[in-house]
Amino acid sequence: MSLSAPPAPAPRITYGAVLGSPYVARLLGGTLTGRLPNGMAPVAIVLWATTNGGSIAFGGLLSALYGLSSALAQPVKGRLMDRHGQTAVHLPATLLNSALLVTLPLAGPYGGPGLATAIVVAGGLTTPALEAGLRALWPSVLPDHRLRHAALALDTGTQGLLYIVGPLLVAALASVYNPTVALAVTAVFGLTGTAVVAFAPPSRLWRPTPSAQSHASTAHRLASPGLLLLFVSLAGVGFAIGAMNVWAVAMARQHEQELLSGILPAAFSTGSFLGGLLYGRGRWRGTTTGRLIGAGIAFLAGWLPLVALPGPYAATTAVAVPGVFLTVVVACAYVTTDSLTPAGRTSEAYAWLILSIGAGQSVGTALGGRLAEQPLTTAALPAAGAAFALVVLLAARRRLGPAGCLNRRGRHRRPPRGRCKTP
């Protein structure tokens, strides 16, 4: 009989410990501030266009072009960061983006719709890739994988706040002043937040650590079947979010309560924020792949009550449920992406993940708009996107790898191929 005491359980991770780690609060706060224009610019662009005599359709087109061009440029900026570092990419991008947003009001009197379209597209293309950059920094800032797990969940969950605070702030500025002021404030937030991140030592000194093997098979390994299937599934997740936004507008019109078009997405984002807080504090067993699929099942189940066409109050409560599990899906997707990506290309891989969700969201919004006059179909579209995501995840589960592949030392070291067995 052994007299030795059993090993003490590891202390529970708290968000105080995460935020108290060096540079974490600065990087997270700077990234959220710098990405606030993602929630502000599309609304400010629409308000500017309509205030200056443009139609809602033209304003909506400009807003969509801004979001689409921003998403499409993410992988390019991720690749550049992997080659030249973060500061060399972030600072020129934010300077150009801010200058273009401030310049947009000049397009009305001097260039008309053509110039406005060109400025908006260029502004989207120069949006700083702060989200992908932050995800690439976590391994060097937080070597403890438990702290990194909590930081990733907190980071993912708080993103929903951007799409609550951003539109409200733009609406207030446009109401008190005018949309031109809203565009200027949007530019200031982007420039300030990006500068806070870019000049922080972890970002300024960050460099990927490529391995000899990654140089030999970089292109092949980044386009591995596991990553491709993961990104395809995340397009389904984005489709559900885009369709949900259109469904919210349809609900507002059906019940003649315009506030529902904002309340329903806000409830979804609030659920995402709370889900991130809960997930980051938990001590979860099993593999990341298992959690990813489990969250995908719950994400799908959360959308099903909408098919019953609930009233406004029930719908507001119901839509928060898939929001809770969205954070778990995205957080696990980032961990899985990291485990499947070759050394030296993590920023690019994260950018492709962001693009996948954004592209799916655009398709969901477009299809939802075409079917907006059919209440049952519109309510079912988010579940259809979630079902597509789950089917692809189930098909890819043997290629996604266990979470144990990620618990390694160093910033970007990868185990030799074949060492990580699928669950």
Side-chain angles (χ1 to χ4, degrees):
M1 181 176 179
S2 173
L3 297 179
S4 60
R12 179 176 291 276
I13 294 297
T14 65
Y15 287 117
V18 173
L19 295 173
S21 300
Y23 300 111
V24 168
R26 175 175 177 174
L27 291 172
L28 183 58
T31 297
L32 289 174
T33 302
R35 293 188 63 235
L36 193 57
N38 291 4
M40 295 178 67
V43 180
I45 289 170
V46 172
L47 292 176
W48 170 80
T50 54
T51 301
N52 286 272
S55 65
I56 295 179
F58 178 63
L61 174 63
L62 290 181
S63 179
L65 286 173
Y66 183 88
L68 183 61
S69 58
S70 176
L72 291 175
Q74 288 287 323
V76 176
K77 284 174 278 193
R79 184 71 176 271
L80 290 173
M81 286 193 293
D82 284 334
R83 289 187 174 185
H84 306 292
Q86 295 193 358
T87 300
V89 178
H90 284 337
L91 289 181
T94 191
L95 287 171
L96 287 171
N97 177 262
S98 298
L100 289 163
L101 289 175
V102 172
T103 304
L104 179 59
L106 299 178
Y110 296 107
L115 180 58
T117 302
I119 291 175
V120 165
V121 171
L125 292 174
T126 55
T127 304
L130 291 172
E131 184 178 359
L134 181 62
R135 302 291 161 74
L137 288 176
W138 286 140
S140 58
V141 176
L142 295 168
D144 186 329
H145 74 275
R146 296 181 305 138
L147 288 172
R148 195 159 63 246
H149 162 86
L152 181 59
L154 182 63
D155 168 17
T156 304
T158 52
Q159 289 184 48
L161 298 178
L162 301 176
Y163 302 98
I164 300 174
V165 176
L168 291 175
L169 184 57
V170 167
L173 289 169
S175 176
V176 176
Y177 300 101
N178 54 63
T180 299
V181 172
L183 283 168
V185 173
T186 300
V188 169
F189 273 121
L191 185 62
T192 302
T194 304
V196 167
V197 173
F199 288 116
S203 179
R204 182 165 45 85
L205 302 176
W206 180 87
R207 294 295 184 277
T209 309
S211 65
Q213 184 182 12
S214 71
H215 287 302
S217 58
T218 296
H220 170 71
R221 290 189 60 194
L222 186 59
S224 66
L227 271 182
L228 287 175
L229 289 170
L230 176 64
F231 294 161
V232 169
S233 73
L234 291 173
V237 172
F239 181 96
I241 299 171
M244 181 269 299
N245 289 327
V246 177
W247 164 79
V249 175
M251 281 283 291
R253 290 180 178 176
Q254 178 186 351
H255 294 279
E256 298 182 349
Q257 298 180 26
E258 293 300 323
L259 284 177
L260 278 177
S261 61
I263 290 175
L264 291 170
F268 178 80
S269 298
T270 301
S272 177
F273 174 65
L274 295 176
L277 293 180
L278 294 173
Y279 180 66
R281 286 182 57 86
R283 299 174 63 182
W284 308 99
R285 298 180 181 274
T287 65
T288 300
T289 302
R291 292 196 295 274
L292 177 60
I293 292 175
I297 294 172
F299 184 67
L300 169 58
W303 292 116
L304 294 179
L306 302 189
V307 181
L309 303 179
Y313 295 109
T316 302
T317 302
V319 80
V321 176
V324 169
F325 294 100
L326 170 69
T327 298
V328 183
V329 170
V330 174
C332 290
Y334 270 105
V335 173
T336 302
T337 298
D338 187 59
S339 69
L340 297 176
T341 302
R345 299 193 68 174
T346 50
S347 299
E348 183 183 358
Y350 294 154
W352 278 108
L353 187 157
I354 297 165
L355 172 58
S356 299
I357 297 175
Q361 188 168 349
S362 298
V363 174
T365 301
L367 185 58
R370 293 291 298 273
L371 301 174
E373 301 302 322
Q374 305 176 34
L376 180 59
T377 303
T378 305
L381 282 178
F388 173 83
L390 179 59
V391 169
V392 176
L393 284 176
L394 290 172
R397 66 187 182 279
R398 295 188 179 279
R399 298 178 181 271
L400 298 181
C405 294
L406 206 74
N407 297 337
R408 54 189 178 274
R409 297 179 181 177
R411 289 191 299 173
H412 291 283
R413 294 179 184 175
R414 295 293 186 277
R417 297 181 74 177
R419 292 284 182 86
C420 293
K421 298 180 179 179
T422 54

